[in-house]
Amino acid sequence: MADDYSFLAGGGEMGQRLRSHDWTATAIGPPKHWPQPLRTLVSVMLGSNQAMFALWGPDHALLYNDRYAEILGQKHPKALGQPFLKVWEEIVDDLTPLVDRAYAGESIYMDDIHLIMHRHGYPEETHFDFSYTPIRDERGDVAGVFCPCTEITDKIQAERRLRKSEKRFRQLADAMPQLVWTANADGVVEYYNSRVQDFAGIKQDADGNWQWQPALHAEDEDRTIAAWQNAITTGGIYACEHRIRMADGSMRWHLSRATPMTETDGTIKWFGTATDVHDLKIAQEALRENEERFRLVNLATNDLIYDWDMVANHLDWNDAIVTQFGYTKEQFGSTIEQWENAIHPQDQKRVVKGMEAAINGGRDSWSAEYRFRKRDGSYAMFLDRGYIARDDTGTAYRMIGSMFDLTERHQAEEALRESEQRFRMMADTAPAMLWITDRDNQAVFLSRGWFEYTGQSEDHALGLGWTQAVHPEDRERAIRTFLGAAENTEPFSFDYRLRRHDGQYRWAIDAGRPRFSAKGEWLGYIGSVFDVHDRKLAEEDLRRSRDELEQRVRERTIELQHRADQLVRLTSQLTLTEHRERQRLAKILHDHLQQILVGASFRLAILAKHLPKNNQDVAQLESLLNESINASRSLTVELSPPILHEAGLSAGLNWLARSMKDKHGLAVELNVDDFTPIDRDDIKLLIYEVVRELLLNVAKHAGVKQVVVSLSQYDNQQLRVVVEDQGVGFDFKAVISDTDPERTSFGLFSIRERLDHLGGRMEVDSAIDRGTRFTLFVPLLTDQASPAVPGSHSATLHTGVSEPFKTPAAHATDGSSIRVLIVDDHAVMRQGLGSLLEAEPDIEVVGQAADGIEAVAGVRQLCPDVILMDFSMPQMDGVEATRIIHAGQPHIRIIGLSMYAEEDRAKAMIEAGAAVYLTKTGQSHELLTAIRQFDPAILRRKCD
């Protein structure tokens, strides 16, 4: 056995180094002499994928695995076998007290420890989570320390970057002319930029959320809210025009747009803007009115009228053919082909194709602008508008139309100037940087956003000057892509790094679409530039993370089978850890808060005796204390039901059934057959929590007041648990896919996953209006060890009997007073009870005890008539102490006390010999009455 080196097997590089290292020169000595705890520790460490190290012996010799070697940096491999504090001499002042405490037998856990390390030849800031665990040798002495550690430097730095990014976003948002806002997945607005002060009615509520609905125009409110709710439900883009009340009281039209984005943690967040489009809206209305008037004028025009008989292919013109074009009707001709020949060659194909599309497409009208040849050979631009007549089958047989001269260009130019002005207003207020080029590919317009972003002036940016703001490494590619698209008059989109006004280069996307005139002539491009730097960095991080994840998946696939058992253990530990946290919180409530509240109640009872009767302040204080005690006690039991640990799973489920009836009105029919006792605490806790979760689901969602829970042995290895109701049922596939921790604390997904990890399974039979039946198969796993769940309460051991109270002068000295011994592990309770009883002239407190052992020892010494016995105490609880005292001194009246009013506890105390069982939260007069039921003249006995 001494030469068995199997514990050094595997472990990668460090396994090889541990096997080949010369240990004879160290205080540890050769591996064949290593003690079994060290062998086990090294084997676990080499087999783990987490960074771990161990210290052994008085010199604190350092042993570690491959992952810890990465943390050591340049200190590896020289650090192997060296004294730990010498290896990390630059932080020895931080480490020495930790190592000393661990070697003194203390377990230490620390999170986010900030250290300055020199592991790569230079000082660097690092952050770690550490856990120092003392390791004892066969004699029980601390011989070493085991430390799994996790470096969280990247996480801390990422959090810093996130905070910086959030600050940058808010600064950029405040610089924008629009109202910028964000909302959570439920549609609640959480942030507005500083533009919110321009609006009236947008206020924050008590929770810090913004209420924007009151600012809407009454006629737009329902439509706007419905559009927003639809976007939230469907996850689509939100866009809605509506009126908002401004700070000056006016109502202005705004275009609200929002896009959902998925955060890195999986949550949905909406980013939106509200852009003032009031002037644009008014202009659009005026334009529509003008277009309608223009249409009516065209219908009534007498400039040039034609009538085309499509069946006979005969085209007839009015006399304007002479006045407008100089032709006689005979000279021009009467066929559609003669009309086509008079169209300018550059326009002919487009115009004819458009007219044929209107005729063949079932349309009732057609119009086009084109150049038409006059008799003298010159061309004039005309607007041609024709109306198509169709028979009952929809076949076009006739077109009647008009043509009129468009040479009055000043009207069109004025309209163009107005249009350009409106465009500039929109472009300068848009979140993107907009631009326009001419047919020579020269920038003729850049919105204000470009100049503010790049810092360029208009003179430097127009033409091709904008390319000077592009990163030198991207400039040639950007120009080549742009000009190449222009040659083919096709849309384009590409990215490049753009210099911001502060000199920083940031990634941007430039996209453009070709512009054509009404005559189909190429005019250039119109496009936009968006800053996508943050998104691009996030995409690169995501791509790197994906590549790393895929590599890890490939590397770990072969380990899956070996990790299955480890996953079972981790699942078990998770269940126990959850319950330990519940017990810790329950212990704080029981051992501290509840005891203090009850002590205060006793003090109040004493104080009330010195005040007038029916004092309202005292009554209110007493009511508040009782409500606080009841709430604390209820929460304590919910967090960690004592009966589950004291009486087992069946008793715990019976208690749970009663609790569901009392709290939710849900009648639970519990059927428990004989099954193999469950030794493992994690399995008992899992079954209890699963049943509790399913019963809560029934109470909340099933719509019934009765449910059946059955436990039975399925086979030698599994326990079958069935929870069945006749309620409304549900869609199981939809529910099981919901893994959001905000909606499910121990939901169906968690139940199924934990059962799977333990080798069990969950079957669900449910449908709408057909009830639900959950069948759980839980492995008993009686052959595997599991850490025990710690007890609900613990206390420091007291030796000897506490010093008895001095008998006050006011007490009777003739032996007629009732002698009381107070037994409770909480000093606050003992003091409170003592103060309450000392105020009674016929009662004498002869002593106090902190646990059952002290109580048994003090009975013969103090000869009490009555003992106030706490139920839950360390060393020896109240039930066992009562049983012992009652067997030897049956004449002593024992009154059981507890924070809990459960029947099981009361029954246990009565069966042990207690005369009565009271709760600590009861009225003080009830306790005094129970004490005075002892008749010292009849029942007192001398102590043996």
Side-chain angles (χ1 to χ4, degrees):
M1 183 66 182
D3 296 330
D4 182 8
Y5 293 155
S6 61
F7 68 95
L8 292 176
E13 176 194 353
M14 288 312 302
Q16 178 62 33
R17 290 188 178 277
L18 283 167
R19 292 189 291 272
S20 61
H21 191 74
D22 181 12
W23 296 101
T24 58
T26 66
I28 301 179
K32 66 181 181 179
H33 297 311
W34 287 3
Q36 186 58 44
L38 178 56
R39 290 170 173 243
T40 302
L41 184 60
V42 171
S43 177
V44 171
M45 184 172 64
L46 291 178
S48 175
N49 196 36
Q50 181 182 3
M52 297 179 179
F53 69 83
L55 312 181
W56 197 263
D59 294 337
H60 308 158
L62 176 62
L63 301 91
Y64 52 91
N65 62 4
D66 285 352
R67 292 303 299 273
Y68 189 74
E70 298 172 6
I71 296 176
L72 286 168
Q74 294 180 355
K75 297 177 183 290
H76 170 72
K78 294 181 180 180
L80 181 61
Q82 295 297 312
F84 179 64
L85 297 179
K86 180 179 179 182
V87 172
W88 294 109
E89 58 185 357
E90 69 270 22
I91 53 174
V92 66
D93 292 338
D94 297 319
L95 296 179
T96 298
L98 302 178
V99 174
D100 291 345
R101 289 167 59 189
Y103 266 85
E106 180 181 354
S107 294
I108 306 170
Y109 175 77
M110 300 160 292
D111 58 351
D112 191 12
I113 302 303
H114 174 248
L115 299 173
I116 302 298
M117 292 185 170
H118 293 258
R119 54 185 178 178
H120 299 295
Y122 57 87
E124 59 177 317
E125 176 187 354
T126 62
H127 296 262
F128 287 88
D129 290 344
F130 289 107
S131 175
Y132 283 60
T133 303
I135 306 301
R136 301 180 183 273
D137 56 21
E138 292 88 341
R139 297 174 300 178
D141 298 329
V142 176
V145 174
F146 174 57
C147 178
C149 50
T150 303
E151 182 170 1
I152 59 172
T153 304
D154 291 343
K155 173 187 172 185
I156 297 301
Q157 292 176 348
E159 291 173 350
R160 291 176 181 172
R161 290 195 297 270
L162 179 61
R163 289 192 294 270
K164 184 177 180 181
S165 175
E166 179 70 17
K167 180 180 179 181
R168 186 163 56 248
F169 165 75
R170 290 177 180 267
Q171 290 174 341
L172 291 174
D174 285 340
M176 293 180 65
Q178 290 96 343
L179 178 66
V180 180
W181 51 271
T182 64
N184 62 22
D186 296 327
V188 178
V189 176
E190 300 173 326
Y191 162 78
Y192 279 110
N193 67 347
S194 58
R195 298 292 178 185
V196 72
Q197 63 189 1
D198 298 335
F199 299 84
I202 302 180
K203 304 294 183 183
Q204 280 183 297
D205 59 21
D207 296 328
N209 296 319
W210 291 88
Q211 301 299 320
W212 49 271
Q213 295 86 345
L216 294 174
H217 192 288
E219 296 177 359
D220 303 336
E221 183 174 355
D222 292 342
R223 173 177 56 83
T224 304
I225 294 175
W228 177 228
Q229 291 299 326
N230 181 66
I232 295 171
T233 302
T234 62
I237 300 297
Y238 167 65
C240 183
E241 287 188 354
H242 52 77
R243 287 162 287 185
I244 308 179
R245 182 178 294 104
M246 307 303 293
D248 61 2
S250 64
M251 283 285 183
R252 291 186 65 83
W253 282 99
H254 282 72
L255 171 61
S256 288
R257 294 180 59 86
T259 302
M261 295 185 64
T262 303
E263 300 287 278
T264 54
D265 60 358
T267 59
I268 299 297
K269 191 168 186 178
W270 289 82
F271 292 84
T273 60
T275 303
D276 190 320
V277 295
H278 189 80
D279 295 336
L280 175 63
K281 188 84 172 177
I282 299 302
Q284 288 175 338
E285 289 294 335
L287 181 60
R288 280 192 289 270
E289 293 177 1
N290 288 335
E291 288 178 345
E292 179 63 16
R293 287 194 296 268
F294 184 66
R295 186 182 68 84
L296 295 175
V297 170
N298 283 336
L299 290 175
T301 185
N302 292 318
D303 286 340
L304 181 61
I305 305 297
Y306 61 85
D307 185 356
W308 176 29
D309 184 349
M310 298 182 187
V311 177
N313 191 19
H314 179 79
L315 188 62
D316 190 22
W317 301 86
N318 68 349
D319 293 337
I321 190 70
V322 177
T323 59
Q324 291 289 337
F325 296 96
Y327 296 104
T328 66
K329 293 183 179 180
E330 292 75 17
Q331 289 174 331
F332 187 82
S334 61
T335 67
I336 196 64
E337 289 78 10
Q338 291 170 313
W339 166 77
E340 293 176 1
N341 290 333
I343 299 174
H344 193 287
Q346 294 181 356
D347 301 337
Q348 186 182 81
K349 182 178 180 180
R350 171 180 57 84
V351 173
V352 173
K353 186 177 180 180
M355 184 182 66
E356 291 175 349
I359 295 172
N360 298 329
R363 287 158 49 188
D364 295 327
S365 63
W366 162 82
S367 65
E369 291 183 12
Y370 54 89
R371 289 166 288 183
F372 200 82
R373 188 179 64 246
K374 295 184 177 182
R375 177 72 175 84
D376 61 5
S378 64
Y379 286 89
M381 181 66 70
F382 282 82
L383 172 64
D384 190 341
R385 186 183 300 273
Y387 291 86
I388 304 169
R390 299 180 183 276
D391 60 19
D392 295 337
T393 65
T395 302
Y397 65 92
R398 189 177 186 182
M399 178 184 289
I400 298 175
S402 65
M403 296 173 58
F404 63 91
D405 196 350
L406 295 178
T407 55
E408 302 295 332
R409 304 301 300 179
H410 68 279
Q411 295 179 356
E413 291 171 355
E414 181 64 23
L416 178 61
R417 282 193 293 271
E418 292 179 1
S419 176
E420 287 180 349
Q421 183 179 7
R422 291 195 297 270
F423 173 76
R424 285 182 178 273
M425 292 177 60
M426 289 187 295
D428 288 341
T429 57
M433 296 170 274
L434 304 183
W435 54 265
I436 296 176
T437 62
D438 59 16
R439 55 171 52 92
D440 296 323
N441 302 320
Q442 301 293 305
V444 295
F445 169 78
L446 288 163
S447 67
R448 185 173 61 194
W450 174 273
F451 304 119
E452 292 177 348
Y453 187 93
T454 65
Q456 284 188 313
S457 66
E458 185 172 356
D459 292 339
H460 287 90
L462 293 178
L464 288 176
W466 61 270
T467 62
Q468 298 304 309
V470 178
H471 194 286
E473 296 178 0
D474 301 338
R475 188 175 300 150
E476 181 179 354
R477 173 176 58 84
I479 295 174
R480 184 172 62 251
T481 303
F482 168 61
L483 295 180
E487 287 182 6
N488 300 313
T489 63
E490 60 186 11
F492 68 86
S493 177
F494 59 93
D495 60 0
Y496 52 76
R497 286 165 289 180
L498 183 64
R499 186 183 64 240
R500 200 167 59 184
H501 60 81
D502 58 3
Q504 179 186 358
Y505 282 95
R506 295 177 60 83
W507 283 102
I509 287 183
D510 198 335
R513 297 189 64 84
R515 297 185 299 121
F516 296 95
S517 69
K519 298 174 291 184
E521 296 176 336
W522 159 254
L523 298 178
Y525 278 102
I526 182 170
S528 62
V529 179
F530 283 88
D531 184 319
V532 295
H533 189 76
D534 295 334
R535 189 185 77 185
K536 192 172 184 70
L537 294 182
E539 290 173 349
E540 291 176 356
D541 289 342
L542 179 61
R543 184 165 52 252
R544 284 194 296 269
S545 299
R546 183 190 61 208
D547 293 343
E548 291 176 2
L549 178 60
E550 291 175 351
Q551 179 63 24
R552 290 179 182 177
V553 169
R554 287 192 295 269
E555 292 173 352
R556 295 183 182 179
T557 298
I558 60 176
E559 299 178 13
L560 288 179
Q561 185 59 42
H562 299 290
R563 299 296 292 271
D565 291 340
Q566 183 181 20
L567 188 58
V568 171
R569 291 192 296 273
L570 290 175
T571 302
S572 173
Q573 288 295 331
L574 176 61
T575 301
L576 292 176
T577 299
E578 287 179 351
H579 195 74
R580 289 190 187 103
E581 184 62 17
R582 286 173 172 267
Q583 285 189 311
R584 186 183 71 81
L585 295 174
K587 178 177 175 58
I588 292 173
L589 291 172
H590 178 274
D591 289 1
H592 299 285
L593 179 60
Q594 293 178 21
Q595 309 301 330
I596 291 173
L597 290 173
V598 173
S601 178
F602 288 149
R603 296 283 185 181
L604 181 62
I606 297 172
L607 177 63
K609 294 182 178 181
H610 301 286
L611 297 173
K613 290 185 177 180
N614 300 323
N615 186 289
Q616 292 299 316
D617 291 334
V618 173
Q620 290 179 0
L621 284 174
E622 183 178 14
S623 176
L624 288 174
L625 283 172
N626 288 336
E627 289 180 7
S628 300
I629 292 169
N630 290 333
S632 175
R633 181 169 57 197
S634 176
L635 181 56
T636 300
V637 174
E638 272 199 34
L639 286 171
S640 180
I643 191 171
L644 179 62
H645 312 293
E646 296 168 0
L649 179 61
S650 296
L653 292 178
N654 272 290
W655 177 88
L656 178 60
R658 295 194 299 271
S659 175
M660 295 301 295
K661 179 66 174 177
D662 294 340
K663 293 184 178 181
H664 303 284
L666 181 64
V668 181
E669 179 184 335
L670 183 62
N671 302 317
V672 181
D673 296 340
D674 292 336
F675 55 83
T676 302
I678 301 175
D679 299 327
R680 288 187 53 166
D681 291 322
D682 56 333
I683 298 299
K684 286 191 293 187
L685 293 172
L686 178 62
I687 294 173
Y688 178 85
E689 292 293 345
V690 166
V691 173
R692 178 176 176 272
E693 178 69 18
L694 294 178
L695 290 180
L696 286 174
N697 284 341
V698 173
K700 293 178 182 178
H701 308 299
V704 294
K705 293 298 182 181
Q706 186 170 5
V707 64
V708 178
V709 178
S710 303
L711 277 75
S712 61
Q713 185 100 11
Y714 179 66
D715 54 28
N716 293 332
Q717 300 295 327
Q718 295 187 89
L719 178 67
R720 177 167 52 195
V721 181
V722 179
V723 179
E724 185 173 10
D725 68 75
Q726 300 300 318
V728 297
F730 64 96
D731 184 349
F732 176 67
K733 291 183 179 179
V735 174
I736 201 66
S737 63
D738 187 356
T739 60
D740 189 346
E742 295 293 330
R743 292 187 289 271
T744 55
S745 60
F746 196 93
L748 298 182
F749 177 81
S750 178
I751 294 173
R752 186 180 68 172
E753 289 297 301
R754 294 195 184 188
L755 286 174
D756 287 346
H757 294 332
L758 289 174
R761 69 183 191 277
M762 175 174 68
E763 297 177 355
V764 180
D765 180 13
S766 182
I768 303 300
D769 298 327
R770 198 167 58 83
T772 302
R773 176 186 175 93
F774 288 94
T775 304
L776 314 174
F777 296 92
V778 185
L780 295 175
L781 300 175
T782 56
D783 58 337
Q784 297 187 25
S786 172
V789 177
S792 299
H793 310 286
S794 62
T796 304
L797 174 63
H798 294 265
T799 58
V801 179
S802 303
E803 180 181 354
F805 285 176
K806 300 291 185 180
T807 303
H811 288 172
T813 58
D814 58 358
S816 62
S817 62
I818 303 173
R819 298 168 57 82
V820 177
L821 172 62
I822 300 173
V823 184
D824 198 293
D825 60 330
H826 295 93
V828 173
M829 282 300 304
R830 297 196 301 270
Q831 293 171 6
L833 287 168
S835 299
L836 176 67
L837 300 182
E838 280 186 327
E840 302 299 321
D842 59 336
I843 298 175
E844 175 186 4
V845 177
V846 298
Q848 300 179 8
D851 57 37
I853 295 176
E854 290 186 4
V856 173
V859 165
R860 294 183 180 274
Q861 175 184 348
L862 301 173
C863 299
D865 299 320
V866 176
I867 298 177
L868 303 183
M869 183 71 72
D870 187 20
F871 184 90
S872 298
M873 294 183 294
Q875 311 302 321
M876 180 186 293
D877 62 20
V879 175
E880 184 62 21
T882 298
R883 184 178 293 108
I884 295 173
I885 294 172
H886 184 70
Q889 304 285 348
H891 62 281
I892 297 178
R893 180 178 178 82
I894 301 176
I895 300 174
L897 295 176
S898 176
M899 291 299 298
Y900 304 105
E902 278 77 3
E903 296 179 1
D904 300 322
R905 291 192 167 211
K907 181 179 179 182
M909 285 295 290
I910 298 299
E911 290 178 350
V916 68
Y917 178 86
L918 301 175
T919 64
K920 295 180 181 179
T921 57
Q923 298 294 324
S924 59
H925 68 81
E926 295 177 358
L927 176 62
L928 295 173
T929 299
I931 293 174
R932 291 187 173 112
Q933 288 179 357
F934 171 79
D935 188 348
I938 299 175
L939 300 177
R940 180 171 296 161
R941 303 289 186 271
K942 292 183 178 180
C943 297
D944 295 338

